[in-house]
Amino acid sequence: MTNREIEAKLWRSSIIEPVTNCWLWKGARNQLGYGRIAILEEDNKFHNRYVHIESFKIFHGFPNPLVLHKDQVCNHKNCWNPEHLYSGNHSQNKLDSIKKHGHPLRDRIHCLNGHEYTKENTKVMKNGHRTCRECFRIRNEKLKIQLQEKRKRG
């Protein structure tokens, strides 16, 4: 399929959201909500492709879709407006997401072992990560006991 044919196929199953100017795909989506489209390729077989990657290839001539990530400015996973897309790696995409929306664990009020993150029980590391003081204390006690047992055995 040519770029013109792919674009026409994209528009047949899309609407424009007037407030955000998102080009919203109304066709098939994966479990995460990203648009999927069947493209007839040179081998005369249909291949399922991501709508936003096909859009980027059409409008920006992007040669390597493996490093394309969806810009979350519009927050619509089914948006394929090329102005809402950028090229970058996974790390850049994650950092960008954290800057815009905060870290996904920032609202967690308990550690993985169920201890509450209070002012007294929380240590903030140099890198900004939180650690549970109670878990740290328990871990140190276990290590201390293991070391004592090892010394007894000689």
Side-chain angles (χ1 to χ4, degrees):
M1 294 179 83
T2 66
N3 282 350
R4 186 170 284 182
E5 291 170 325
I6 295 170
E7 184 182 357
K9 188 172 182 176
L10 287 168
W11 281 116
R12 281 195 295 272
S13 296
S14 299
I15 61 168
I16 296 176
E17 205 286 318
V19 176
T20 61
N21 198 33
C22 286
W23 302 355
L24 300 177
W25 174 250
K26 294 297 182 185
R29 294 190 223 175
N30 69 5
Q31 302 97 325
L32 298 175
Y34 291 99
R36 301 289 282 168
I37 187 171
I39 303 290
L40 182 63
E41 295 193 357
E42 294 171 0
D43 61 0
N44 284 326
K45 294 181 181 177
F46 283 95
H47 296 270
N48 284 317
R49 302 288 181 233
Y50 285 106
V51 168
H52 63 282
I53 290 176
E54 293 305 312
S55 171
F56 201 92
K57 287 174 10 184
I58 292 167
F59 294 98
H60 298 291
F62 191 70
N64 185 0
L66 296 176
V67 293
L68 177 71
H69 290 275
K70 178 79 174 70
D71 188 345
Q72 295 299 324
V73 169
C74 64
N75 250 356
H76 293 120
K77 292 181 178 182
N78 59 329
C79 175
W80 58 279
N81 182 336
E83 293 177 5
H84 297 185
L85 302 171
Y86 71 94
S87 173
N89 63 32
H90 182 71
S91 295
Q92 290 168 325
N93 189 45
K94 284 294 178 192
L95 287 173
D96 193 42
S97 178
I98 289 169
K99 283 180 188 172
K100 291 176 184 172
H101 309 292
H103 195 279
L105 301 178
R106 74 184 182 282
D107 296 329
R108 184 174 280 179
I109 58 173
H110 293 89
C111 75
L112 292 174
N113 294 312
H115 305 123
E116 189 174 2
Y117 280 127
T118 62
K119 187 176 181 180
E120 298 80 25
N121 190 42
T122 306
K123 180 175 181 175
V124 179
M125 308 302 276
K126 288 180 184 177
N127 61 7
H129 293 171
R130 295 181 296 176
T131 185
C132 173
R133 290 182 190 270
E134 182 63 16
C135 287
F136 186 78
R137 187 193 64 74
I138 292 169
R139 194 167 39 252
N140 279 350
E141 280 294 317
K142 286 180 182 177
L143 289 172
K144 189 176 177 181
I145 291 168
Q146 289 173 354
L147 187 61
Q148 288 171 350
E149 289 173 358
K150 189 175 180 182
R151 285 184 185 153
K152 285 180 185 177
R153 285 180 274 164

